[in-house]
Amino acid sequence: MKATAGIGIVVAIMGIMVGMIMEGGNPAGLINIPSLLIVLGGTLGVTIASQPIEATKAIPKLMIFAMKGTDLDHHGAIGQMVKVAEKARREGLLALEEDIKQIDDPFAKKGLQLVVDGTDSELVRSMLEAEIDGMAKRHGANANIFQMGGGFAPTIGILGTVLSLVHVLENLSDPASLGHSIAGAFLATLYGVGSANVIYFPIANRLKSFSAEEVHYREMILEAVLAIQAGENPRMLGERLETFLAPGDRRGEEGLKEAA
């Protein structure tokens, strides 16, 4: 299940709210629009200032992606690579031209096309590893946006609290309102710390997790492409590719045939 980020954030917020209610608190008392504007607006502003504008434009899409997740079909890819390896052993690498057109994964398609074109195996490895490294760097930059937001938010929250306390100290002539004003002042800190640890950091960690999973997937495809080029036995190739999966996810030879 890939939508665990959204589920986890909702569970965290519900847990905090239920705990507060059990202690006799009122969730409505946590609503303070000025403090919210200071924290969210300030955090967004300094994050935008710290990144190229192209990166910040992707924030909404990245949040949706972190909530929805991705689904990499390892079994399908292994079955497909084994099938390609069988044809390459029977008919030669040049016979894979039509099969390449039916492959949806651009990374696998590029690797197999390099093999069919007769590219040296070391150059194939170098080019595909460069693709993987480039992808990992792009994903790391995306996760870093939320990592920075999580670092800025608590500090902006403290800044909002200080600003509110300055306003409180300017109105000491009304002692009856001091308690409410001071409580409202600390909401900015709550917003900052809460948004960092419940939203920004979890999304950043989730994006890093997806990136690591895709890197692992592409490394598996890379090994498959090089094995096909070397003419490796398809059955042995399937068994070797399954080592990229957790032991509980491995299906064996029959499972590979079914996936293919």
Side-chain angles (χ1 to χ4, degrees):
M1 189 175 186
K2 299 297 182 180
T4 52
I7 294 172
I9 289 175
V10 171
V11 169
I13 293 175
M14 292 298 295
I16 294 171
M17 291 294 102
V18 171
M20 177 186 176
I21 293 172
M22 291 177 67
E23 289 185 345
N26 181 9
L30 297 179
I31 300 175
N32 187 297
I33 301 303
S35 297
L36 197 61
L37 287 174
I38 290 173
V39 174
L40 295 183
T43 301
L44 179 61
V46 294
T47 302
I48 290 174
S50 305
Q51 292 283 335
I53 189 63
E54 291 78 11
T56 55
K57 287 179 180 178
I59 290 177
K61 291 182 179 179
L62 292 173
M63 293 185 70
I64 294 173
F65 176 73
M67 298 301 173
K68 292 174 60 179
T70 185
D71 190 16
L72 297 173
D73 186 6
H74 291 75
H75 295 294
I78 293 174
Q80 189 176 52
M81 290 296 104
V82 170
K83 187 177 179 181
V84 170
E86 290 174 346
K87 184 170 183 179
R89 293 257 297 187
R90 289 195 314 266
E91 305 176 26
L93 293 175
L94 293 177
L96 300 179
E97 283 282 4
E98 291 301 318
D99 297 77
I100 292 175
K101 297 177 182 178
Q102 300 174 8
I103 295 176
D104 296 326
D105 181 8
F107 182 77
K109 181 179 291 187
K110 178 178 180 177
L112 290 173
Q113 188 62 59
L114 288 171
V115 168
V116 171
D117 291 342
T119 309
D120 180 74
S121 60
E122 287 302 316
L123 183 56
V124 172
R125 177 182 291 275
S126 176
M127 293 180 68
L128 294 185
E129 285 180 345
E131 285 275 352
I132 295 173
D133 290 342
M135 181 202 69
K137 289 179 180 178
R138 291 192 301 272
H139 290 180
N142 291 336
N144 191 49
I145 296 173
F146 294 93
Q147 196 76 29
M148 285 195 302
F152 289 134
T155 306
I156 299 297
I158 293 173
L159 176 62
T161 295
V162 172
L163 292 173
S164 298
L165 288 176
V166 169
H167 178 68
V168 170
L169 293 175
E170 290 176 345
N171 295 276
L172 292 178
S173 58
D174 186 10
S177 65
L178 285 180
H180 178 74
S181 299
I182 293 174
F186 281 101
L187 284 177
T189 299
L190 175 65
Y191 291 151
V193 175
S195 62
N197 291 280
V198 177
I199 299 176
Y200 298 130
F201 286 143
I203 289 179
N205 292 334
R206 195 60 176 155
L207 291 175
K208 290 177 183 178
S209 175
F210 287 146
S211 177
E213 184 179 351
E214 189 166 354
V215 166
H216 188 68
Y217 174 83
R218 290 198 176 194
E219 288 174 346
M220 181 187 75
I221 298 298
L222 169 59
E223 290 300 319
V225 169
L226 294 175
I228 291 170
Q229 184 179 35
E232 186 171 323
N233 182 286
R235 184 177 63 82
M236 298 300 297
L237 171 61
E239 292 181 2
R240 183 148 70 91
L241 294 182
E242 282 216 321
T243 62
F244 283 83
L245 306 178
D249 294 333
R250 297 172 189 174
R251 296 181 178 178
E253 188 172 352
E254 291 301 319
L256 291 177
K257 290 181 180 178
E258 186 178 329

